[in-house]
Amino acid sequence: MLFTLADRWGEPDPRKLADLPANIITYWEAYFGLLEEAAASPAEAPPPEKPAIAADSQQFADCLRILGNG
């Protein structure tokens, strides 16, 4: 854990981070744990909507029908 924090903060000596209070180290452990969970389970994407082209082509066909050309 301390090596992860040292890499993230650019600290060359992880022993300096070992001198931090325990509650700060625990906080960062929990934070990185949440990041790992979020990366492991990606959010579900909503289902794709109907393409706009199909709706436009339907409207075009309806206009031609109304005008008597289709």
Side-chain angles (χ1 to χ4, degrees):
M1 180 64 209
L2 291 177
F3 292 106
T4 305
L5 287 176
D7 287 341
R8 185 171 183 92
W9 290 337
E11 178 61 52
D13 187 8
R15 291 177 293 178
K16 289 182 182 178
L17 297 178
D19 292 336
L20 289 172
N23 63 344
I24 292 176
I25 295 173
T26 305
Y27 168 83
W28 282 105
E29 284 178 345
Y31 175 75
F32 286 122
L34 289 174
L35 287 181
E36 289 174 5
E37 285 180 18
S41 60
E44 294 182 21
E49 297 180 10
K50 293 182 180 179
I53 297 169
D56 290 341
S57 63
Q58 182 62 39
Q59 286 179 342
F60 182 74
D62 290 342
C63 288
L64 286 179
R65 184 180 48 80
I66 291 170
L67 294 174
N69 295 330

